[in-house]
Amino acid sequence: MASLSFLNSNYFHSIQISKPSSSSLTCIHSSLSSPNPPNSKDEAIQQAKTSISTTLEKPLNNSSKLIGKFKKLKQPKFRVEIPLIDGSPDSISQLALDVFGDIPIKRKGSPIKVLVLWPNPRLREAANAAFKSQSDTKVEHFDIPSLQNRDPRILNSADVAVFFVPEVSQLDLVRTVSDAFNPRPVVMFNPKWAFEEEGNFDDDLSGFVNSFEVIYCFMGLEVRGLLSKRKGVVFRCVRDGVVSGEKWNVFVEEGEEMKLVSTLKARPTIVEVENVLYNVMAMNSPITKSAKFIKGLVSNVTGRK
């Protein structure tokens, strides 16, 4: 089982554990088939690449058959969230290269052409520099602001569009570009807002953002209890291209390993994660363990449970 030693401490979202609210949380017990979080940066990238390639394979192979036949067909929209050591242009562009430089998407006929859309010219330039090492790359780079002054036909040459680290202020334009790209698939990669912020979006933007199905998410958590501090992960990894069948998993670090403590049908909010982790930490606290030990002694003496 993985540990989190390869992650920078700044990556973890801090949670202060307190007594959970009265709202209930529906959980499913863990199964042996649940995927494990990565134990290295390379493994995280490989997991994300597998999720993207297997999920895109079907719509990309069917796109030529569907265009013009089913105008109301739902556009494939996917979302990927993977940890970054830092938010520098070099780090972000290197991540894009690691994921899309040689992504193994299978399609009959011509290779897949990827259009990566960046939030600003600086990141686009960094990406162009990073991808220079790929002489046969089928990846093009544009920055989102420049699309307002360009011929929309530039979108026609790509098979899949990737919005890399998009910003909240650009969501209206991202939606316009996404609609123009329909029915071809689009991917939102590492949006620069927190999942919790989406509750403050207006109905139109909320509906648009929620139309992206999460196929890979690896979010670190630092859990602060009254007497202890532990690290955890909210994790989802679609491995076979079937998004609806993959659950959300919550892991907590125990020693050098990650322990699966909860599996959920839908993406948990921070409040829901707090409730899960509160129960886990309460069960493992010295006070709780002492109470269990005393109860066990009483049961042995009295013969009662």
Side-chain angles (χ1 to χ4, degrees), residues 45-292:
I45 291 171
Q46 189 57 49
Q47 286 181 341
K49 288 174 69 171
T50 300
S51 293
I52 295 169
S53 60
T54 56
T55 308
L56 287 176
E57 187 173 320
K58 183 176 180 179
L60 287 174
N61 277 283
N62 291 339
S63 59
S64 60
K65 303 175 185 177
L66 297 175
I67 292 176
K69 291 185 178 181
F70 301 99
K71 293 183 179 180
K72 294 184 179 180
L73 188 71
K74 181 181 178 182
Q75 182 184 23
K77 298 177 185 174
F78 306 113
R79 178 166 169 168
V80 176
E81 299 172 25
I82 189 172
L84 275 172
I85 297 301
D86 64 75
S88 67
D90 287 345
S91 179
I92 294 173
S93 58
Q94 183 60 48
L95 177 60
L97 176 61
D98 290 339
V99 174
F100 293 101
D102 60 348
I103 192 164
I105 302 175
K106 298 178 182 178
R107 185 176 72 168
K108 297 178 181 178
S110 59
I112 300 297
K113 295 181 180 179
V114 179
L115 176 65
V116 181
L117 300 167
W118 298 92
N120 56 63
R122 185 184 179 195
L123 283 172
R124 171 182 52 80
E125 292 168 3
N128 278 327
F131 276 76
K132 277 186 178 180
S133 61
Q134 298 280 328
S135 58
D136 59 343
T137 183
K138 298 296 181 181
V139 181
E140 284 190 283
H141 302 273
F142 288 98
D143 58 272
I144 292 174
S146 71
L147 292 179
Q148 298 180 86
N149 304 315
R150 286 181 175 269
D151 188 329
R153 286 177 294 182
I154 64 170
L155 301 175
N156 294 341
S157 63
D159 299 297
V160 56
V162 181
F163 298 100
F164 223 97
V165 292
E167 299 175 356
V168 174
S169 60
Q170 298 173 327
L171 268 176
D172 284 323
L173 185 53
V174 167
R175 179 172 54 180
T176 299
V177 174
S178 178
D179 289 344
F181 208 72
N182 192 23
R184 290 163 292 171
V186 292
V187 178
M188 187 179 292
F189 204 109
N190 278 17
K192 293 189 72 175
W193 60 85
F195 172 63
E196 300 301 312
E197 295 178 51
E198 294 174 13
N200 298 321
F201 291 174
D202 62 41
D203 290 343
D204 286 343
L205 286 184
S206 179
F208 171 67
V209 170
N210 289 333
S211 67
F212 286 78
E213 298 181 279
V214 179
I215 57 175
Y216 188 82
C217 177
F218 180 37
M219 182 178 73
L221 305 168
E222 187 173 75
V223 188
R224 296 177 181 272
L226 183 63
L227 302 174
S228 62
K229 179 175 69 175
R230 299 164 76 181
K231 291 178 180 178
V233 164
V234 174
F235 183 64
R236 191 187 201 207
C237 178
V238 175
R239 296 162 293 171
D240 55 7
V242 182
V243 182
S244 60
E246 198 62 57
K247 302 297 190 295
W248 287 84
N249 301 305
V250 180
F251 291 82
V252 172
E253 191 172 45
E254 285 198 354
E256 296 297 319
E257 297 186 343
M258 297 298 297
K259 179 182 178 181
L260 179 61
V261 295
S262 183
T263 303
L264 306 106
K265 291 182 178 179
R267 181 170 189 161
T269 65
I270 290 298
V271 172
E272 290 172 331
V273 174
E274 285 178 355
N275 290 348
V276 170
L277 298 181
Y278 173 88
N279 292 330
V280 171
M281 295 188 74
M283 287 176 63
N284 293 324
S285 70
I287 297 174
T288 305
K289 287 182 177 179
S290 298
K292 289 181 179 178

